[in-house]
């Protein structure tokens, strides 16, 4: 279905054209004075200059055409030449019924689907997931769902950090602890054990210990670096051990992400590009893109127009080891080979923006990517504590994701318990769902690039612009529908024209769904969906308070209202799903 705002714009644009003016002045927007009108067109004012005519006169000319159209209830000139527009109730009714009957709530998917890879999550193997990875997971998952809804082929890749120094640290620490393991014997010819020489809990202890040691002890650091380089060169025992680390770690990560309701299509990692590194190095050398600087193999990516210094892109270290930059370049190569995407979107902490600027420039300058592959970096801000500093545990350590989820779930649990009217049935499961909504919505309702304060009380509140408030609205509708079901009321599936101003407002809000989806897709901005469902929930709750649906005696009216709230529920649930949030049945 065409967006309502577009439909109206087209009519007004053609009225401008028919009156002899450029149709570009006919763009219509939602009214910023809903008390005066539903929509407005302000184009007469800027056009006045071009046509040397009073804006009021231009508006008057346009109005003559608009008045012929039967979609408008009222078109009026206001102030110096604004055109105020109201739509006929019957037209709104028709629009809502079409939405109601269509599969996708009337959203037309893109007729030219693209292949989009979304690189998000970015967990590091052998290190615990912390809140820094939370934003990437939450935002990336939402953007992925939005792109899919719009109709694109989307591939979500967790892009594990599995090829860096932390692996070398774990390997050399294990070597210190259990030198007898076959992984360390270079002459070992047999089969390596199937079982990992550590559990996930042990692994969670090994890395921090090793990392602390390496920071204060140069020998330990050199050992870790050497182990990393040897691993990357393919030393058998290290590869076997690395697989064990990967296995144990990924199993745990999968559990964590699934608890968050975040699902990846690919569990690839930095290591997957390694098989292309030699090819890439040869390619870069043959095409004279590289030079050596202090033992490093680099590509100069500076431009004459640069206003700040962009350091050269480092391809390889002197010992041949790959860096973060190498793995990202190799991953682009790999993704082109395997998926031939139209776009790659990286959802990563904005403090990595220079790194991505370097990777993108290098890929473009060396023609590894052509002009037809879009590379986009979506850098997000930091989640801070109330002190305005990055969120930490009370002791000042890195907050583990699991602990964070527990904190918010407990906060919601307490709130649910406080509220007598809430059933304690399945309270644990409900607290988990509502807690997740608090966490995700608290994050997604902010602009991605901004830092925000993690405020448990605010996020878990059942009032205001929060996840729990939206869920409460959905649950309220579900509860009415349960009652209707219980009384076995047979309703038709038609929505009537609105019966009151408040109901009309609800109609107007519902018609905006596809417009909001488009905006959130184009700007990669889940917060636009949050703004929308908050507004919609408020409008719905106002309608709910003034309407007695269940006891309504006029059965066609009652029937229409039931359909209206079903449609509202569908719009809310579909939008929540795009944010990666699920509503419980009760709360
Ligand atoms: N593992 C990285 C980190 O924890 C994030 C990875 C982001 N994606 C990428 N292609 N570099 O910082």
């Amino acid at each position: 279905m065409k967006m309502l705002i577009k439909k109206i714009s087209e009519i007004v644009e053609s009225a401008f054209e028919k009156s002899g003016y450029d149709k570009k002045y006919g763009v219509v927007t939602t009214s910023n004075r809903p008390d005066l009108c539903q929509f407005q067109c302000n184009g007469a004012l800027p056009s006045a200059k071009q046509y040397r005519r009073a804006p009021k006169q231009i508006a008057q000319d346009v109005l003559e055409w608009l008045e012929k159209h039967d979609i408008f209830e009222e078109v009026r000139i206001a102030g110096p030449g604004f055109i105020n527009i109201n739509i006929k109730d019957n037209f709104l009714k028709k629009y809502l019924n079409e939405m109601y009957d269509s599969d996708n709530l009337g959203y037309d998917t893109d007729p030219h689907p693209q292949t989009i890879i979304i690189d998000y999550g970015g967990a590091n193997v052998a290190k615990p997931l912390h809140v820094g990875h939370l934003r990437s997971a939450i935002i990336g998952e939402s953007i992925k769902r939005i792109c899919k809804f719009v109709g694109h082929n989307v591939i979500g890749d967790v892009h594990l950090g599995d090829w860096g120094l932390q692996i070398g640290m774990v390997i050399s620490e294990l070597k210190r602890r259990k030198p007898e393991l076959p992984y360390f014997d270079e002459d070992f010819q047999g089969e390596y054990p199937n079982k990992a020489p550590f559990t996930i809990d042990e692994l969670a202890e090994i890395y921090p210990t090793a990392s602390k040691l390496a920071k204060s002890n140069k020998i330990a650091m050199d050992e870790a670096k050497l182990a990393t380089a040897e691993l990357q060169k393919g030393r058998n025992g290290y590869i076997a051990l690395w697989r064990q680390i990967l296995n144990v770690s990924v199993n745990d990560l999968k559990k964590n992400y699934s608890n968050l309701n975040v699902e990846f299509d690919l569990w690839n990692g930095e290591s997957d590009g390694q098989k292309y590194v030699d090819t890439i190095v040869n390619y870069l050398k043959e095409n004279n893109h590289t030079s050596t600087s202090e033992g490093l193999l680099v590509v100069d990516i500076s431009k004459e127009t640069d206003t700040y210094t962009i350091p050269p892109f480092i391809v390889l270290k002197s010992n041949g080891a790959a860096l973060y930059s190498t793995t990202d370049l190799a991953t682009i190569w790999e993704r082109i080979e395997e998926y031939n995407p139209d776009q790659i979107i990286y959802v990563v902490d904005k403090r990595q923006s220079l790194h991505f600027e370097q990777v993108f420039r290098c890929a473009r300058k060396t023609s590894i990517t052509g002009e037809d592959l879009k590379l986009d970096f979506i850098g997000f801000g930091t989640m801070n504590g109330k002190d305005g500093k990055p969120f930490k545990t009370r002791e000042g350590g890195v907050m583990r994701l699991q602990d964070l989820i527990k904190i918010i779930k407990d906060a919601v649990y307490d709130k649910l318990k406080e509220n007598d009217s809430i059933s304690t049935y399945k309270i644990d499961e409900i607290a988990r769902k509502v807690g997740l909504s608090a966490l995700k919505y608290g994050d997604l309702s902010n602009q991605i690039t901004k830092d925000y304060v993690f405020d448990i009380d605010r996020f878990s509140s059942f009032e205001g612009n929060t996840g729990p408030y939206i869920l409460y609205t959905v649950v309220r509708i579900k509860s009415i529908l349960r009652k209707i079901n219980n009384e076995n009321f047979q309703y038709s599936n038609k929505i009537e024209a609105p019966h009151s101003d408040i109901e009309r407002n609800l109609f107007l809000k519902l018609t905006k769904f596809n417009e909001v989806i488009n905006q959130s897709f184009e700007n990669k901005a889940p917060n636009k969906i949050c703004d929308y469902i908050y507004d919609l929930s408020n409008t719905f709750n106002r309608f709910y308070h003034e309407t007695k649906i269940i006891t309504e005696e006029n059965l066609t009216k009652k029937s229409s209202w039931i359909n209206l709230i079903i449609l509202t529920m569908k719009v809310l649930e579909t939008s929540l799903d795009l944010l990666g949030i699920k509503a419980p049945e009760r709360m």
Side-chain angles (χ1 to χ4, degrees), residues 119 122-124 133 159 161 270 324 328 346 348 352 355-356:
D119 181 314
N124 296 317
H133 295 113
H159 195 74
E270 294 168 354
Y324 190 41
D328 263 319
Y346 297 81
V348 187
Q352 293 192 22
H355 164 76
F356 283 98

Side-chain angles (χ1 to χ4, degrees), residues 48 63 78 199 587:
L63 214 63
T199 63
M587 64 189 263

Side-chain angles (χ1 to χ4, degrees), residues 126-128 169-170 173 177 201-215 400:
K127 293 192 199 174
M169 285 182 178
V170 172
E173 176 67 18
R177 294 185 188 188
D201 292 332
E202 284 160 355
L203 190 58
E205 176 272 320
I206 295 172
Y207 169 71
T209 310
S211 150
K212 212 166 147 197
L213 178 70
K215 273 190 194 128
R400 285 213 191 189

Side-chain angles (χ1 to χ4, degrees), residues 5 45 88 117 126 203 225 324 349 399 403 424 452 488 527 530 545:
I5 194 91
L45 283 88
K88 278 209 171 98
I117 296 183
L203 190 58
K225 284 185 179 162
Y324 190 41
D349 192 312
M399 172 69 82
D403 302 331
T424 46
Y452 75 90
N488 244 326
N527 65 310
C530 296
H545 285 300

